[in-house]
Amino acid sequence: MPLTVQSLEVYPIALTYVEPLKTSFGDQTLKAAVVVRLCSAEGICGWGEASVELRPGYGSETVGTAIHIIRNFIEPLLVGQTFADPHAVAAVLRSIRGHHHTRAGVEAAAWDAFAQLHDLSLARYFATFLPDGHAPRPVASVGVSIGMKPTIEASLDIIRKRVNEGYRRIKLKIAPGWDVELARAVRSEFPDIALMLDANSAYTLRDTEHLKQLDAFNLLMIEQPLGHDDIYQHSKLTPQLQTPVCLDESIKSTDDLHLALDIGAIRILNLKPARVGGFSESLSIYRVCAEHQLPLWIGGMMETGIGRAANLALASLPAVTLPCDISATDRYYVEDLTEPPFTLNADSTITVPDGIGIGVRVEMDRIAKAVAAWESMRAYV
Ligand code: OSB
Ligand code: MG
């Protein structure tokens, strides 16, 4: 069933976080992103989220670059064109180099529209592009990501709160000077919790002996210890740590993953659809993980309900073997852009929407409020 793109709308949004996420690359106090609506000549509209940021910190893209690329380059490529499926949309978007988060947001809107056209939930629609045996599960296993705090006691407070809420996997952001003692304190209070650390590229190979101290704490993994664009140096570190090394930032494509596997740089993958340029590339990476039995989980960019619903659909697929960075709505926002809110089940899972497309309702009045909030900031335009 083909789809003809009629219009592409962009909504730059700002939302206040319930709890900011301080990482080794900076303090993220405010959610900024670009929400995309793609409408077809058949009258179907799909939603996507370009999870760009206020500043180029995690990735290189911002709200301003996303709007520039969509308006000037993506819109002319897509509008008026007819596509057989979302992979065909992705193929056209690949003619634009870089700008993965932006392309992913537009492509996600196309995936939502196509899933609706086929009368399927996004999770079921994904499975139609996979071999037999990859039917979605009704729930996705999840954890929560916790930023750097002023004191270890403050970290313990928030971990207690999250554990009481039912999260069974805790991820802590680390950086030099905020690592070994933190892990020791958390382990002594929570000897059995699934615990992992995310360095967001804060270390170098010279820190190898220091990082080996983390092996004492029975960690699920350490995420992206070295350079944000490095694979080679990780291949030197990974075999020296007992703690499995998970790559995030430096795996931007299926080719990157093949390289990392070949040279022994990676033991776990954090797959963020935004980082790799969308769900088309994500499904390709998913298949490589399944073939190599590489442990896989779906990461997050503190998405609004639009991006999170789509990430949950991917997280429902069976080769996703570890808890994902997809938390309940109340961990991120007082009022999200979508309804109903995502809530945490007692077994640290979130139920995957089974309505058609992304399966959540986008509240237009809240989009308007979030756009007004972005515009009132007059930031970086
Ligand atoms: O490194 O995983 C990361 C958020 C923004 C930028 C980078 C990262 C993150 C997270 C968010 O950890 C996790 C979530 O969305 O819940
Ligand atoms: Mg990370």
Side-chain angles (χ1 to χ4, degrees):
M1 265 189 274
L3 180 150
T4 301
V5 178
Q6 187 163 64
S7 66
L8 209 52
E9 291 158 21
V10 294
Y11 301 92
I13 59 111
L15 287 176
T16 308
Y17 287 131
V18 169
E19 189 201 337
L21 186 74
K22 186 174 177 198
T23 66
S24 62
F25 61 80
D27 216 343
Q28 312 203 10
T29 49
L30 190 110
K31 172 70 184 176
V34 175
V35 166
V36 178
R37 179 160 70 170
L38 180 153
C39 293
S40 78
E42 298 79 12
I44 291 173
C45 292
W47 289 95
E49 177 172 344
S51 56
V52 293
E53 292 172 287
L54 196 53
R55 297 179 189 83
Y58 170 83
S60 59
E61 298 163 80
T62 66
V63 171
T65 70
I67 292 172
H68 165 63
I69 293 292
I70 294 172
R71 281 271 170 265
N72 292 304
F73 303 106
I74 294 181
E75 212 182 289
L77 277 178
L78 298 190
V79 172
Q81 302 300 312
T82 301
F83 297 94
D85 63 32
H87 291 298
V89 177
V92 168
L93 293 177
R94 279 192 187 96
S95 70
I96 293 168
R97 292 209 181 147
H99 301 282
H100 284 201
H101 294 244
T102 300
R103 279 161 40 192
V106 174
E107 201 208 277
W111 277 97
D112 180 27
F114 268 105
Q116 292 178 52
L117 190 67
H118 288 265
D119 209 17
L120 289 172
S121 70
L122 188 55
R124 286 187 197 288
Y125 189 52
F126 283 152
T128 67
F129 293 96
L130 293 170
D132 287 349
H134 288 274
R137 298 163 295 188
V139 299
S141 175
V142 305
V144 63
S145 176
I146 298 177
M148 301 194 292
K149 304 290 174 191
T151 62
I152 288 181
E153 198 43 51
S155 290
L156 289 170
D157 279 345
I158 187 77
I159 296 166
R160 285 179 203 121
K161 176 170 141 84
R162 297 306 179 205
V163 169
N164 284 335
E165 286 171 350
Y167 291 102
R168 290 194 199 153
R169 191 231 64 185
I170 300 288
K171 159 168 150 181
L172 301 175
K173 296 290 187 178
I174 59 163
W178 184 257
D179 45 24
V180 177
E181 292 319 310
L182 174 71
R184 193 188 316 282
V186 175
R187 256 299 169 244
S188 72
E189 183 167 337
F190 301 96
D192 301 320
I193 190 108
L195 180 66
M196 57 180 285
L197 307 177
D198 187 358
N200 288 111
S201 308
Y203 299 88
T204 72
L205 269 183
R206 287 188 298 279
D207 299 312
T208 303
E209 289 309 311
H210 179 74
L211 291 170
K212 281 183 185 172
Q213 295 177 74
L214 296 172
D215 285 342
F217 305 118
N218 184 29
L219 301 173
L220 196 55
M221 70 191 85
I222 180 170
E223 201 179 327
Q224 198 72 30
L226 308 180
H228 69 88
D229 52 0
D230 166 76
I231 297 174
Y232 177 71
Q233 295 187 44
H234 280 98
S235 77
K236 301 292 170 193
L237 178 68
T238 297
Q240 296 191 67
L241 298 184
Q242 282 170 334
T243 306
V245 170
C246 169
L247 293 186
D248 173 355
E249 279 89 330
S250 55
I251 303 298
K252 294 190 166 69
S253 64
T254 311
D255 286 347
D256 286 344
L257 179 57
H258 281 303
L259 170 60
L261 283 166
D262 259 29
I263 67 176
I266 189 169
R267 290 180 57 194
I268 298 175
L269 178 67
N270 166 348
L271 171 56
K272 290 184 187 172
R275 192 190 65 226
V276 303
F279 289 111
S280 178
E281 190 70 16
S282 296
L283 289 175
S284 152
I285 288 174
Y286 171 93
R287 293 176 72 140
V288 173
C289 292
E291 280 156 23
H292 287 78
Q293 292 175 20
L294 182 73
L296 168 69
W297 54 284
I298 307 305
M301 292 295 297
M302 310 283 277
E303 281 89 350
T304 75
I306 294 171
R308 215 143 11 98
N311 286 354
L312 260 178
L314 188 64
S316 76
L317 300 173
V320 176
T321 52
L322 288 165
C324 299
D325 265 353
I326 303 173
S327 305
T329 300
D330 66 4
R331 182 262 171 265
Y332 305 102
Y333 307 110
V334 173
E335 190 182 75
D336 203 339
L337 302 179
T338 55
E339 285 288 335
F342 293 109
T343 55
L344 190 69
N345 301 322
D347 57 351
S348 198
T349 63
I350 292 182
T351 303
V352 181
D354 61 3
I356 63 167
I358 59 173
V360 289
R361 200 168 64 246
V362 177
E363 300 289 336
M364 283 311 293
D365 57 324
R366 298 190 197 166
I367 299 254
K369 260 203 282 183
V371 169
W374 168 258
E375 283 170 355
S376 74
M377 288 174 52
R378 300 185 179 281
Y380 311 111
V381 277

